[in-house]
Amino acid sequence: MMRSLQTRLGLLATGLLVNASVWASGSIDGPVEKQGVNLHAIAMFIVFVALTLGITYWAAQRTRSAKDFYAAGGGISGFQNGLAIAGDYMSAASFLGISALVFDKGYDGLIYSIGFLVGWPLITFLVAERLRNLGKFTFADVASYRLAQTPLRTFAATGTLFTVALYLIAQMVGAGKLIQLLFGLNYTLAVVLVGVLMVIYVTFGGMLATTWVQIIKAVLLLSGATFMALMVLSHVGFSVESMFATAVEVKHAAAQALSAKAGAASEAAAKALATHAADASEVAAKAKTLTADAAKAAKANVMAPGGLVSNPIDAISLGLALMFGTAGLPHILMRFFTVKDAKEARKSVFVATGFIGYFYILTFIIGFGAIMLVSTNPAFKDAAGKLVGGSNMAAVHLAHAVGGEYFFGFISAVAFATILAVVSGLTLSGASAVSHDLYANVIARGRTNEAQEIRVSKYATVGLGIVAILLGILFEKQNIAFMVGLAFSIAASANFPVLFLSMFWRGLTTRGAVIGGAIGLISAVVLIILGPPVWEATLGNPAKSAPFPYSNPAIFSMTLAFFFTWLFSVTDKSPRAESEQAAFLPQFIRSMTGIGAEGASKH
Amino acid sequence: MDEALIQRIQNNPKFAELVHKKGRLSWCLSVVMLVIYYGFILTIAFSPETLGKPLSAGGVTTVGIPVGLFVIVSAFVLTGIYVRRANTEFDQLTKELVEESRQ
């Protein structure tokens, strides 16, 4: 069947070659060509959907109160929540994108994935248990604990909706591209399907259904990836050294073939120039690119850091965005309210860190496995010698190579199902920002009841679903590689500083939090637009013309956010500021001891 | 939380102990994680060849592979150290503190 998958391009990973697009593997983007219809994958995906709809029905019977809806009644165990967090965090883009990055560039893929992991320990040490002790449903509960509700919740909901929208668009576009590659179906169908399913999971099943969709997806993805990594290792007799050696040889042979081709092209060009052939300049240009490619391939080393991290400022900035952005992602923070106490919250991050770290090790092995088993197999290549469907298909082709037709279908279905789990968490988080923060606490100012709040959040879910579908369709042809980066940068520069300072700094006032947080949000957005990822890659301006030279603004936008939050807090001498600072002690005691913290529901 | 309870907790030496111990452990481990990660990133930025050296003469596996694995495993282990101490020692201390203060 693979041989019948005829395609000419699909260089999904082109973005990765451009230094500006460090973020590219955070999303599935670039042009793709629809593949042949993959019946195994579609069948297995239908089984997944049937199972998750069954769970949604079951969850709907158990979702009555607001606490059930937003936080699964607080009755999820630490281990289950850990798996669900991992399921929320391991996106299709990180499975396909990171293994593609390893497939193309080797070691750089590992560097990239490590960035996504190191935020988790910090969440454990500084955020998780305090969040659980202070909050109820959203991180705004914590940020606004002792501050003025209206401005703080409006700000936090804005930060949440920005992060959620950007992340959702990236996932929707990814879903559309993936369905063409994996199932051979239509882009719009995928976007609508994903939108409708996520709305069903969330409106009917709330957090309980979302949690179980994430758990099932995590288990499927982890077991599929484990099987692939084991097959790869068994291929090399479980010797990592020989796996690396084979991969280096393969890359070396490819570089040599390329250089031979470049040599031949140069000769042809010289001949064409000498005979003043009509197409001489064209032939010469082709020879020039081939020579450059060959030189690049000869220099590339899959076993050492390449060009991913070359500019120290960008590297540090990317690191900050990943580390602290993770600690400011509203859909991740929300998961800590689903467990019964601080102890379970801690356990869940430990479990999540373990699974996520393990998963990144697997993607590294899978990437190398694809170099050995996929790039050497003509069945997975098109006429031009490129991978069918582009580099993002490396892991999927590997599934075919090591597990045959059925396993290939399984991995395709899992990769697509993965998107559903991620978007459900995002939607629930966005809907709770609208209903719990904006509606219940800002618009109705607490004068509403639970039933009404849940109703609003269901409307919000449907609204978000429609917006997500429309944006998904609108952004089909756009270069959206920057979106996940922007989501992380906003989370790190707006959500995180305010949340962090509200828990740790007595001096924080409403004025400081709102102004500082807004400056963080605006500067992150503006600097991303003025930087290479949007200015050059998306808006199409020439290379090196971006007014802001760095791809990752976090180092600047986070500094601005912290500085102005501090400045506008210490200069705030209003009576309100005084009482807010005085309220720090009771808040601190509750965050340390859990006295007064939300318990699990009784039923 | 009423004023009296806050007063009692604040005056209980166990509260100071809890704040001190938990604070020290979380900040120490955070610094360790930051040093490990930024040490790794800065090595890549300023001296990528260090990580590109083969582990043994004639071998293919480079220094970067165990180093990368070390960063991943350290994230897990540091989290484990914190969770273990917090879920036993600190939670016990918290429990005693809350019981004493509620009387």
Side-chain angles (χ1 to χ4, degrees), chain A residues 179-501:
Chain A
I179 208 164
Q180 299 175 57
L181 287 172
L182 300 177
F183 297 177
L185 298 174
N186 176 281
Y187 178 95
T188 315
L189 173 75
V191 172
V192 174
L193 186 71
V194 168
V196 169
L197 282 172
M198 77 185 188
V199 168
I200 294 177
Y201 294 149
V202 175
T203 41
F204 295 106
M207 182 54 106
L208 190 57
T210 304
T211 303
W212 281 100
V213 170
Q214 288 168 343
I215 291 176
I216 293 171
K217 162 267 173 97
V219 171
L220 290 176
L221 186 58
L222 285 166
S223 23
T226 303
F227 174 75
M228 283 165 76
L230 282 177
M231 291 304 281
V232 168
L233 289 175
S234 81
H235 185 82
V236 287
F238 291 93
S239 154
V240 181
E241 170 78 12
S242 77
M243 175 177 85
F244 291 143
T246 319
V248 169
E249 259 169 50
V250 169
K251 286 276 180 188
H252 186 66
Q256 274 185 334
L258 207 57
S259 119
K261 228 162 128 188
S266 302
E267 256 174 52
K271 212 182 270 170
L273 283 174
T275 58
H276 301 286
D279 59 347
S281 60
E282 204 178 293
V283 176
K286 201 178 145 205
K288 208 173 149 200
T289 23
L290 267 174
T291 314
D293 283 354
K296 211 190 263 169
K299 241 183 28 200
N301 177 2
V302 285
M303 297 306 294
L308 182 71
V309 180
S310 46
N311 177 334
I313 303 251
D314 246 340
I316 295 171
S317 201
L318 172 70
L320 284 174
L322 289 174
M323 245 184 165
F324 298 104
T326 307
L329 290 177
H331 62 294
I332 296 286
L333 295 173
M334 196 178 179
R335 291 228 51 93
F336 291 113
F337 303 119
T338 64
V339 293
K340 78 172 192 312
D341 55 20
K343 188 182 233 144
E344 295 299 309
R346 293 184 200 110
K347 255 192 230 164
S348 51
V349 226
F350 178 57
V351 171
T353 311
F355 281 123
I356 296 168
Y358 171 68
F359 175 71
Y360 286 143
I361 295 175
L362 294 181
T363 54
F364 190 60
I365 298 172
I366 288 170
F368 270 91
I371 297 178
M372 290 195 303
L373 302 170
V374 173
S375 72
T376 52
N377 188 341
F380 301 120
K381 303 270 201 75
D382 61 19
K386 302 282 189 199
L387 206 58
V388 173
S391 292
N392 274 339
M393 289 291 280
V396 180
H397 289 320
L398 181 68
H400 196 254
V402 301
E405 221 36 69
Y406 286 98
F407 189 66
F408 165 67
F410 173 76
I411 284 294
S412 302
V414 168
F416 195 71
T418 278
I419 293 188
L420 282 176
V422 177
V423 293
S424 306
L426 287 167
T427 310
L428 182 55
S429 159
S432 63
V434 172
S435 60
H436 182 63
D437 297 327
L438 288 182
Y439 173 75
N441 286 295
V442 173
I443 298 168
R445 292 182 194 260
R447 286 186 301 268
T448 178
N449 56 40
E450 269 196 22
Q452 180 63 15
E453 189 180 322
I454 297 177
R455 203 168 309 133
V456 170
S457 99
K458 291 186 175 178
Y459 295 146
T461 306
V462 175
L464 275 169
I466 294 170
V467 171
I469 290 172
L470 292 177
L471 289 177
I473 292 169
L474 192 70
F475 278 91
E476 177 180 358
K477 304 267 183 253
Q478 304 297 313
N479 178 339
I480 51 137
F482 68 91
M483 280 196 181
V484 171
L486 182 54
F488 268 84
S489 298
I490 291 178
S493 323
N495 307 353
F496 175 75
V498 171
L499 177 66
F500 178 80
L501 291 175

Side-chain angles (χ1 to χ4, degrees), chain A residues 517-556:
Chain A
I519 289 177
L521 199 161
I522 294 167
S523 60
V525 173
V526 170
L527 292 178
I528 285 254
I529 292 174
L530 296 181
V534 175
W535 194 263
E536 292 163 16
T538 304
L539 299 177
N541 289 305
K544 307 244 178 274
S545 68
F548 178 70
Y550 306 109
S551 303
N552 307 289
I555 194 169
F556 304 100

Side-chain angles (χ1 to χ4, degrees), chain A residues 27-69:
Chain A
S27 57
I28 306 289
D29 69 342
V32 295
E33 196 147 296
K34 204 160 105 180
Q35 309 289 309
V37 175
N38 179 352
L39 287 175
H40 295 308
I42 296 171
M44 281 186 238
F45 179 70
I46 291 173
V47 172
F48 174 85
V49 170
L51 178 68
T52 49
L53 287 178
I55 286 172
T56 307
Y57 178 77
W58 165 82
Q61 317 286 309
R62 279 157 189 77
T63 300
R64 282 176 228 113
S65 65
K67 193 173 176 66
D68 295 335
F69 183 79

